[in-house]
Amino acid sequence: MAKKTSRLEPQNRHWYEDLPLPGERMEKAPNIEEECNELNEVFLEVSRASSLMRGVFLAFFSFLAPLSLWMLWFLVKENVSDGFSEGGTFLIALSPFFLLAAVLFWGVRMEFNVPLDRPVRFNRKKRKVYLYEYEWKWNPFVRWKTVFKVFDWDNVRAEVIRERGFNGTAYMESHALVLSHCEPGTNKVIDRTDLYRTLGSPGSEVKAMWAYCCHYMEQGLEGLPETKLRPQDVQFARCFFAHYPVLNPTKEGAEYRASGWLHWIYDVMVFPAFPLMLLWGLGYYIVMRLAPDPVWPPEIDRESTSG
């Protein structure tokens, strides 16, 4: 697809498309799936918990750590037996372990330091958007911090970002809904943040998310479809079977199996890897139990939830 000229001149994106401004007609029916934490006449709270793949690094750690320790023991044993006659070669052989340790440390820190959710509140009475951000770094040894941002709704624009490529094993495509906060009366971007991100799903989902937010901010609850709130509790079955729900023995699993036939294609394709999916699910459950909850400062909490 050819690029569409953007009013906002997005940077470092493979493909982008402007969405209508707040109040403009939306072609896609508004929908928010199960990404809503709270909804009332004053504010809408959108969850961003699904934008992070929680538990994957913990699963990798549980799988790779024992293997790495065994290989490290083997290398040390071999070099001890020959009196470390080739010390330089031994140090070179150890370098991948230091790199792997740094990557795993970063991943585990991501799992247990990043809050379980980074919600965004749309306050239609004040016409403001409140964002709970957690700024993590690629350097696992520096301080990571929580930041709170406030956007004026009338100066908010949105873009759909599509990023795609081949990772060496499979062709991957993701879509993101990006909120851009602009200077009043212009399209000059002050700040950007992702609101919603999907992997392998059509871009219509993120467009529907924006349609829902626009409809709520401009027209309120009237005309919105029935919204199923995101579950706030942590259940073992929901987490353990999160990536292979066809095996979930609970009511949620039964609803998934009865939801249609398209998901069965996915279930059959990934069946050889379902033990890894369950390991990922176990890591997901552990992270959901131990990672911190998002906590708004009292003054921002009151401001963002009051009329």
Side-chain angles (χ1 to χ4, degrees), residues 34-80:
E34 295 183 13
E35 304 297 332
C36 179
N37 286 336
E38 193 165 351
L39 176 65
N40 54 53
E41 291 285 353
V42 177
F43 74 98
L44 158 69
E45 182 175 294
V46 176
S47 169
R48 290 191 286 177
S50 64
S51 296
L52 289 177
M53 296 189 296
R54 308 304 292 259
V56 64
F57 278 104
L58 190 61
F60 279 148
F61 180 81
S62 64
F63 178 75
L64 292 177
L67 179 62
S68 299
L69 290 175
W70 178 83
M71 294 181 64
L72 179 60
W73 174 81
F74 177 79
L75 281 174
V76 172
K77 179 183 176 182
E78 290 296 314
N79 280 271
V80 167

Side-chain angles (χ1 to χ4, degrees), residues 5 19 40 47 59 66 90-91 96 139 153 200 238 262 272 277 298 303:
T5 302
L19 292 179
N40 54 53
S47 169
F90 175 66
L91 291 177
N139 185 348
W153 171 251
R238 183 187 301 132
L262 287 177
M277 298 289 188
E303 181 181 339

